[in-house]
Amino acid sequence: MATAYQNLSSYDINSIPDASKMRVGIIVSEWNNFITEKLLEGACNTLEKHHVSTDHIIVHRVPGSFELTFGAQQVAKYGDVDAVIVLGCVVRGDTPHFDYVCEGVTQGVAALNATQDIPVIFGILTTDNLQQAEDRAGGKYGNKGDESAITAIKMVDFICRLKK
């Protein structure tokens, strides 16, 4: 989580494994697309910066954050990828809808991580207002897409090292 003490886009470049052979699926929510497209841009730029070929970054869109779990499951199953990143943005409103969506997608991604053979990376902003979302989608706290891409690279490397 980004705070005044931790920027989402900050990492030790020397600690990033070789990603040149990785294939990454990204599922991005169309809801709040003015935020999620910034997250997608951050994730893609970071993957490319670490030598993931643009042909190996497979992007799919789903209508909302609740649908990210199903999209991720299908890409993990049929997408021929090493990791899946889910990108979404849920902003608190005046109803409990925020709580239901956040809980559902959080539990869904956790369940996928427990049942799939590849990592599913949680790149979902759950904020109280749009300013907090903007601050974490390329604003003053960095970009959650960057953080998600680095996490995907590190988790794929983790699996590769275990299988040696």
Side-chain angles (χ1 to χ4, degrees):
M1 175 179 170
T3 67
Y5 306 109
Q6 179 66 44
N7 187 298
L8 293 165
S9 299
S10 296
Y11 57 90
D12 176 8
I13 194 149
N14 296 318
S15 71
I16 309 306
D18 177 29
S20 60
K21 293 185 169 87
M22 294 180 187
R23 291 179 50 85
V24 179
I26 301 176
I27 314 303
V28 60
S29 170
E30 294 171 339
W31 192 258
N32 290 326
N33 69 334
F34 55 95
I35 297 293
T36 61
E37 289 299 315
K38 292 177 185 176
L39 299 175
L40 176 61
E41 182 180 346
C44 290
N45 288 344
T46 299
L47 291 169
E48 291 170 21
K49 177 180 176 180
H50 293 286
H51 311 291
V52 177
S53 165
T54 56
D55 293 345
H56 290 172
I57 302 170
I58 300 93
V59 177
H60 297 280
R61 288 176 173 75
V62 296
S65 290
F66 198 81
E67 293 77 25
L68 289 167
T69 300
F70 180 77
Q73 178 195 43
Q74 296 306 300
V75 171
K77 195 178 208 180
Y78 302 114
D80 189 29
V81 295
D82 300 304
V84 177
I85 299 171
V86 296
L87 299 174
C89 176
V90 186
V91 179
R92 186 178 303 279
D94 295 330
T95 68
H97 181 74
F98 171 89
D99 299 312
Y100 300 132
V101 171
C102 292
E103 183 177 344
V105 72
T106 300
Q107 289 180 357
V109 171
L112 289 174
N113 275 302
T115 60
Q116 299 299 311
D117 290 331
I118 63 172
V120 179
I121 308 305
F122 189 87
I124 301 164
L125 296 176
T126 57
T127 62
D128 288 324
N129 56 57
L130 283 176
Q131 185 61 56
Q132 288 177 347
E134 290 170 352
D135 289 346
R136 290 157 178 79
K140 69 181 181 179
Y141 293 129
N143 190 314
K144 182 73 171 174
D146 295 344
E147 179 194 51
S148 299
I150 294 300
T151 301
I153 291 168
K154 288 183 172 187
M155 290 305 294
V156 170
D157 181 67
F158 172 79
I159 292 168
C160 289
R161 285 185 284 114
L162 283 177
K163 290 182 178 179
K164 286 184 179 181

Coordinates of all heavy atoms in Angstrom, one line a residue, residues 97-150:
H97 N -22.1 -1.1 -1.5 CA -21.6 -1.7 -2.7 C -20.0 -1.8 -2.8 O -19.5 -2.9 -3.1 CB -22.0 -0.9 -4.0 CG -21.6 -1.5 -5.3 ND1 -22.2 -2.7 -5.8 CD2 -20.7 -1.1 -6.2 CE1 -21.7 -3.0 -6.9 NE2 -20.7 -2.1 -7.2
F98 N -19.4 -0.8 -2.3 CA -17.9 -0.8 -2.2 C -17.4 -2.0 -1.4 O -16.5 -2.7 -1.9 CB -17.4 0.5 -1.6 CG -16.0 0.6 -1.2 CD1 -15.0 1.1 -2.2 CD2 -15.5 0.2 0.0 CE1 -13.7 1.2 -1.8 CE2 -14.2 0.3 0.3 CZ -13.3 0.8 -0.6
D99 N -18.0 -2.2 -0.3 CA -17.6 -3.3 0.6 C -17.7 -4.6 -0.1 O -16.9 -5.5 0.0 CB -18.3 -3.2 1.9 CG -18.1 -1.9 2.7 OD1 -16.9 -1.5 2.8 OD2 -19.1 -1.3 3.1
Y100 N -18.9 -4.8 -0.7 CA -19.2 -6.1 -1.4 C -18.2 -6.4 -2.5 O -17.7 -7.5 -2.7 CB -20.6 -6.2 -1.9 CG -21.6 -6.0 -0.8 CD1 -22.7 -5.1 -0.9 CD2 -21.5 -6.8 0.4 CE1 -23.6 -5.0 0.1 CE2 -22.5 -6.6 1.4 CZ -23.5 -5.7 1.3 OH -24.4 -5.6 2.3
V101 N -18.0 -5.4 -3.3 CA -17.1 -5.6 -4.5 C -15.6 -5.8 -4.0 O -15.0 -6.7 -4.4 CB -17.1 -4.3 -5.4 CG1 -16.0 -4.4 -6.5 CG2 -18.5 -4.3 -6.1
C102 N -15.2 -5.0 -3.0 CA -13.8 -5.2 -2.5 C -13.6 -6.5 -1.9 O -12.6 -7.2 -2.1 CB -13.4 -4.0 -1.6 SG -13.3 -2.4 -2.4
E103 N -14.6 -6.9 -1.1 CA -14.5 -8.2 -0.4 C -14.5 -9.4 -1.4 O -13.7 -10.3 -1.3 CB -15.6 -8.4 0.6 CG -15.5 -9.7 1.4 CD -16.5 -9.8 2.4 OE1 -17.2 -8.9 2.8 OE2 -16.7 -11.0 2.9
G104 N -15.4 -9.3 -2.4 CA -15.5 -10.3 -3.4 C -14.2 -10.5 -4.2 O -13.7 -11.6 -4.4
V105 N -13.7 -9.4 -4.7 CA -12.5 -9.5 -5.6 C -11.3 -9.9 -4.8 O -10.5 -10.7 -5.2 CB -12.3 -8.2 -6.4 CG1 -11.8 -7.1 -5.6 CG2 -11.4 -8.5 -7.6
T106 N -11.2 -9.4 -3.5 CA -10.1 -9.8 -2.7 C -10.1 -11.3 -2.4 O -9.1 -12.0 -2.6 CB -10.1 -9.0 -1.4 OG1 -10.0 -7.6 -1.7 CG2 -8.9 -9.4 -0.5
Q107 N -11.2 -11.8 -2.0 CA -11.4 -13.2 -1.7 C -11.2 -14.0 -3.0 O -10.6 -15.1 -3.0 CB -12.7 -13.5 -1.1 CG -12.8 -13.0 0.3 CD -14.1 -13.3 1.0 OE1 -15.0 -13.9 0.4 NE2 -14.2 -13.0 2.2
G108 N -11.7 -13.5 -4.1 CA -11.5 -14.2 -5.4 C -10.1 -14.4 -5.8 O -9.6 -15.4 -6.2
V109 N -9.3 -13.3 -5.7 CA -7.9 -13.3 -6.1 C -7.1 -14.2 -5.1 O -6.3 -15.0 -5.5 CB -7.3 -11.9 -6.2 CG1 -5.8 -12.0 -6.3 CG2 -7.9 -11.2 -7.4
A110 N -7.5 -14.2 -3.8 CA -6.8 -15.0 -2.9 C -7.1 -16.5 -3.2 O -6.2 -17.3 -3.1 CB -7.3 -14.7 -1.4
A111 N -8.3 -16.8 -3.5 CA -8.7 -18.2 -3.9 C -7.9 -18.6 -5.1 O -7.5 -19.8 -5.2 CB -10.2 -18.3 -4.1
L112 N -7.8 -17.8 -6.1 CA -7.0 -18.1 -7.3 C -5.6 -18.4 -7.0 O -5.0 -19.4 -7.5 CB -7.1 -17.0 -8.4 CG -8.5 -16.9 -9.0 CD1 -8.4 -15.6 -10.0 CD2 -8.8 -18.1 -9.8
N113 N -5.0 -17.6 -6.1 CA -3.6 -17.9 -5.7 C -3.5 -19.2 -5.0 O -2.4 -19.8 -5.0 CB -3.1 -16.7 -4.8 CG -2.6 -15.6 -5.7 OD1 -1.7 -15.8 -6.5 ND2 -3.1 -14.4 -5.6
A114 N -4.5 -19.7 -4.3 CA -4.4 -20.9 -3.6 C -4.7 -22.1 -4.5 O -4.4 -23.2 -4.2 CB -5.4 -20.9 -2.4
T115 N -5.3 -21.9 -5.7 CA -5.8 -23.0 -6.5 C -5.1 -23.1 -7.9 O -5.1 -24.1 -8.5 CB -7.3 -23.0 -6.8 OG1 -7.6 -21.7 -7.4 CG2 -8.0 -23.1 -5.4
Q116 N -4.5 -22.0 -8.3 CA -3.9 -22.0 -9.7 C -2.4 -22.3 -9.5 O -1.8 -22.1 -8.4 CB -4.0 -20.6 -10.3 CG -5.5 -20.2 -10.6 CD -6.2 -21.2 -11.5 OE1 -5.7 -21.6 -12.6 NE2 -7.4 -21.7 -11.1
D117 N -1.8 -22.6 -10.6 CA -0.3 -23.0 -10.6 C 0.5 -21.7 -10.9 O 1.8 -21.9 -11.0 CB 0.0 -24.1 -11.5 CG -0.6 -25.4 -11.0 OD1 -0.7 -25.6 -9.8 OD2 -0.9 -26.3 -11.9
I118 N -0.1 -20.6 -11.2 CA 0.7 -19.4 -11.5 C 0.2 -18.3 -10.5 O -1.0 -18.3 -10.0 CB 0.5 -19.0 -12.9 CG1 -0.9 -18.6 -13.3 CG2 1.1 -20.0 -13.9 CD1 -1.1 -18.0 -14.7
P119 N 1.0 -17.3 -10.3 CA 0.6 -16.2 -9.4 C -0.4 -15.3 -10.1 O -0.3 -15.0 -11.3 CB 1.9 -15.5 -9.1 CG 2.8 -15.8 -10.2 CD 2.4 -17.2 -10.7
V120 N -1.4 -14.8 -9.2 CA -2.3 -13.8 -9.7 C -2.1 -12.6 -8.8 O -2.3 -12.7 -7.6 CB -3.8 -14.4 -9.5 CG1 -4.8 -13.3 -9.9 CG2 -4.0 -15.6 -10.4
I121 N -1.7 -11.5 -9.4 CA -1.3 -10.4 -8.7 C -2.4 -9.4 -8.5 O -3.1 -9.0 -9.4 CB -0.1 -9.7 -9.4 CG1 1.0 -10.7 -9.8 CG2 0.4 -8.5 -8.6 CD1 1.6 -11.5 -8.6
F122 N -2.6 -8.9 -7.2 CA -3.7 -8.0 -6.8 C -3.2 -6.6 -7.1 O -2.5 -6.0 -6.3 CB -4.0 -8.3 -5.4 CG -5.2 -7.5 -4.9 CD1 -6.4 -8.1 -5.0 CD2 -5.1 -6.3 -4.3 CE1 -7.6 -7.5 -4.5 CE2 -6.2 -5.6 -3.8 CZ -7.5 -6.2 -3.9
G123 N -3.7 -6.0 -8.2 CA -3.4 -4.6 -8.5 C -4.6 -3.8 -8.5 O -4.9 -3.0 -9.5
I124 N -5.4 -3.8 -7.5 CA -6.6 -3.2 -7.4 C -6.6 -2.0 -6.3 O -6.2 -2.3 -5.2 CB -7.8 -4.2 -7.0 CG1 -7.8 -5.2 -8.1 CG2 -9.1 -3.4 -6.9 CD1 -8.6 -6.5 -7.7
L125 N -6.9 -0.9 -6.8 CA -7.0 0.3 -5.8 C -8.4 0.2 -5.2 O -9.4 0.1 -5.8 CB -6.8 1.6 -6.6 CG -5.5 1.8 -7.3 CD1 -5.5 3.1 -8.0 CD2 -4.4 1.8 -6.2
T126 N -8.4 0.3 -3.8 CA -9.6 0.4 -3.1 C -9.5 1.7 -2.2 O -8.8 1.7 -1.2 CB -9.8 -0.8 -2.2 OG1 -8.6 -1.0 -1.3 CG2 -9.9 -2.1 -3.0
T127 N -10.1 2.7 -2.7 CA -9.8 4.1 -2.2 C -11.1 4.7 -1.6 O -12.2 4.3 -2.1 CB -9.2 5.0 -3.2 OG1 -10.1 5.2 -4.3 CG2 -7.9 4.4 -3.7
D128 N -11.0 5.7 -0.8 CA -12.1 6.4 -0.2 C -12.6 7.5 -1.2 O -13.8 7.9 -1.1 CB -11.7 7.0 1.1 CG -11.6 6.0 2.2 OD1 -12.4 5.0 2.2 OD2 -10.7 6.2 3.1
N129 N -11.7 7.9 -2.1 CA -12.1 9.0 -3.0 C -11.2 9.0 -4.3 O -10.2 8.3 -4.3 CB -12.1 10.4 -2.3 CG -10.7 10.7 -1.7 OD1 -9.7 10.6 -2.4 ND2 -10.7 10.9 -0.4
L130 N -11.6 9.7 -5.3 CA -10.9 9.8 -6.5 C -9.5 10.3 -6.4 O -8.6 9.9 -7.1 CB -11.7 10.6 -7.6 CG -12.8 9.9 -8.2 CD1 -13.6 10.8 -9.2 CD2 -12.4 8.6 -9.0
Q131 N -9.3 11.3 -5.5 CA -8.0 11.8 -5.3 C -7.0 10.7 -4.8 O -5.9 10.7 -5.3 CB -8.0 13.0 -4.3 CG -6.6 13.7 -4.2 CD -6.1 14.3 -5.5 OE1 -6.8 15.1 -6.1 NE2 -5.0 13.9 -5.9
Q132 N -7.4 9.9 -3.9 CA -6.5 8.8 -3.5 C -6.2 7.9 -4.7 O -5.1 7.4 -4.8 CB -7.2 8.0 -2.4 CG -7.3 8.7 -1.1 CD -8.0 7.9 0.0 OE1 -8.7 6.9 -0.3 NE2 -7.9 8.4 1.3
A133 N -7.2 7.6 -5.5 CA -6.9 6.7 -6.7 C -5.9 7.4 -7.6 O -5.0 6.8 -8.1 CB -8.3 6.5 -7.4
E134 N -6.1 8.7 -7.9 CA -5.2 9.4 -8.8 C -3.8 9.4 -8.2 O -2.8 9.3 -9.0 CB -5.7 10.8 -9.1 CG -7.0 10.8 -9.9 CD -7.7 12.2 -10.0 OE1 -7.3 13.1 -9.3 OE2 -8.6 12.2 -10.8
D135 N -3.7 9.6 -6.9 CA -2.4 9.6 -6.3 C -1.6 8.3 -6.4 O -0.4 8.2 -6.4 CB -2.5 9.9 -4.7 CG -2.9 11.3 -4.5 OD1 -2.9 12.2 -5.4 OD2 -3.4 11.6 -3.3
R136 N -2.4 7.2 -6.6 CA -1.8 5.8 -6.7 C -1.8 5.3 -8.1 O -1.5 4.1 -8.4 CB -2.6 4.9 -5.8 CG -2.3 5.2 -4.3 CD -3.3 4.7 -3.4 NE -3.0 5.0 -2.0 CZ -3.1 6.2 -1.4 NH1 -3.6 7.3 -2.1 NH2 -2.8 6.4 -0.1
A137 N -2.2 6.1 -9.1 CA -2.3 5.7 -10.5 C -1.4 6.7 -11.3 O -1.7 7.2 -12.3 CB -3.7 5.8 -11.0
G138 N -0.2 6.9 -10.8 CA 0.8 7.7 -11.5 C 1.0 9.1 -10.8 O 1.7 9.9 -11.3
G139 N 0.3 9.3 -9.7 CA 0.4 10.5 -8.9 C 1.5 10.5 -7.9 O 2.5 9.8 -8.0
K140 N 1.3 11.2 -6.8 CA 2.3 11.5 -5.8 C 2.8 10.2 -5.1 O 3.9 10.2 -4.5 CB 1.9 12.5 -4.8 CG 0.8 12.2 -3.9 CD 0.5 13.4 -3.0 CE -0.5 13.1 -2.0 NZ -0.8 14.3 -1.1
Y141 N 2.0 9.1 -5.1 CA 2.4 7.9 -4.5 C 2.8 6.8 -5.5 O 2.9 5.7 -5.1 CB 1.2 7.4 -3.6 CG 1.0 8.2 -2.4 CD1 -0.3 8.7 -2.1 CD2 2.0 8.7 -1.5 CE1 -0.6 9.5 -1.0 CE2 1.8 9.5 -0.4 CZ 0.5 9.9 -0.2 OH 0.2 10.7 0.9
G142 N 3.0 7.2 -6.7 CA 3.5 6.3 -7.7 C 2.3 5.6 -8.4 O 1.2 6.2 -8.5
N143 N 2.6 4.4 -9.0 CA 1.6 3.7 -9.8 C 1.5 2.3 -9.3 O 2.5 1.5 -9.4 CB 2.0 3.8 -11.3 CG 0.9 3.4 -12.2 OD1 0.3 2.3 -12.0 ND2 0.7 4.1 -13.2
K144 N 0.3 1.9 -8.9 CA 0.0 0.5 -8.5 C 0.3 -0.5 -9.6 O 0.7 -1.6 -9.4 CB -1.4 0.4 -8.0 CG -1.8 -1.0 -7.5 CD -1.2 -1.3 -6.1 CE -1.7 -2.5 -5.5 NZ -1.1 -2.9 -4.3
G145 N 0.2 0.0 -10.9 CA 0.5 -0.9 -12.0 C 2.0 -1.2 -12.0 O 2.4 -2.4 -12.3
D146 N 2.9 -0.3 -11.7 CA 4.3 -0.5 -11.6 C 4.6 -1.6 -10.6 O 5.3 -2.6 -10.8 CB 5.1 0.7 -11.2 CG 5.1 1.9 -12.2 OD1 4.7 1.6 -13.4 OD2 5.4 3.0 -11.8
E147 N 4.0 -1.4 -9.4 CA 4.2 -2.3 -8.3 C 3.7 -3.7 -8.6 O 4.4 -4.7 -8.4 CB 3.5 -1.8 -7.0 CG 3.6 -2.8 -5.8 CD 2.6 -2.5 -4.7 OE1 1.4 -2.3 -5.0 OE2 3.1 -2.3 -3.6
S148 N 2.6 -3.8 -9.3 CA 2.0 -5.1 -9.7 C 2.9 -5.8 -10.7 O 3.1 -7.0 -10.6 CB 0.6 -4.9 -10.3 OG -0.2 -4.3 -9.3
A149 N 3.5 -5.1 -11.6 CA 4.4 -5.7 -12.6 C 5.6 -6.2 -12.0 O 6.1 -7.3 -12.3 CB 4.8 -4.7 -13.7
I150 N 6.2 -5.5 -11.0 CA 7.4 -5.9 -10.3 C 7.1 -7.2 -9.5 O 7.8 -8.1 -9.5 CB 8.0 -4.8 -9.4 CG1 8.5 -3.7 -10.3 CG2 9.1 -5.3 -8.5 CD1 9.6 -4.1 -11.3

